[in-house]
Amino acid sequence: MTDTASGGSQKAPGDRGHTTIADGVVEKIAGLAAREVVGVHALGSGLSRTFGAVRDRVPGGSKAAVSRGVKAEVGEVQTALDLEIVVDYGVSIRDVARAVRENVVSAVERMAGLEVVEVNIAVSDVKLPDEPDEEPESRLQ
């Protein structure tokens, strides 16, 4: 509604301006939400986790571990997500994928206020009980 007497508009203070949400913000939210699901061992492929672990130890290293294995495309009101996960041996991959989708959609829609149009999940590996985690020893001190 426009106030014709003063020539100004009657917008509520909270509606004045524009909010943008970076892809990385949505990736972090989705990464944390996916890791909360029982049966998710890690996010990202073995190779990306290995390189990421080394990169995280270097000052100024790039992508944080929390968003590794997550890719988001963010628009003004919608987002689409691709996740790459490693599941624990013995779990139902279908059930884990469903639970990840539900948790990610809930977290992103609640925190970012964006409609999640799709969450694509690629299961890149299964963590066997006797396999060691792929954390390379750091050469840096």
Side-chain angles (χ1 to χ4, degrees):
M1 181 172 188
T2 305
D3 180 4
T4 54
S6 65
S9 67
Q10 296 297 326
K11 279 186 169 180
D15 294 333
R16 298 177 194 171
H18 184 73
T19 303
T20 57
I21 300 172
D23 292 0
V25 171
V26 174
E27 289 169 355
K28 284 183 178 182
I29 293 168
L32 286 171
R35 281 177 174 77
E36 292 174 349
V37 174
V38 174
V40 174
H41 178 75
L43 268 66
S45 66
L47 189 60
S48 74
R49 290 193 322 271
T50 300
F51 284 130
V54 172
R55 204 173 37 240
D56 291 344
R57 291 185 180 108
V58 176
S62 66
K63 204 171 192 181
V66 71
S67 58
R68 188 176 306 124
V70 182
K71 177 68 181 134
E73 291 181 39
V74 179
E76 288 194 28
V77 296
Q78 294 180 326
T79 187
L81 294 148
D82 295 317
L83 283 79
E84 186 175 7
I85 67 172
V86 176
V87 298
D88 291 320
Y89 176 79
V91 300
S92 165
I93 293 173
R94 211 177 275 270
D95 291 347
V96 169
R98 181 178 299 112
V100 167
R101 279 190 186 93
E102 289 173 356
N103 213 35
V104 166
V105 168
S106 174
V108 171
E109 288 186 347
R110 178 178 47 84
M111 293 181 69
L114 297 167
E115 177 191 2
V116 179
V117 294
E118 66 181 7
V119 178
N120 299 311
I121 298 173
V123 178
S124 62
D125 202 358
V126 173
K127 170 67 169 77
L128 301 176
D130 58 346
E131 279 182 329
D133 283 334
E134 296 177 4
E135 284 293 315
E137 287 188 34
S138 175
R139 299 182 339 194
L140 305 174
Q141 292 188 8

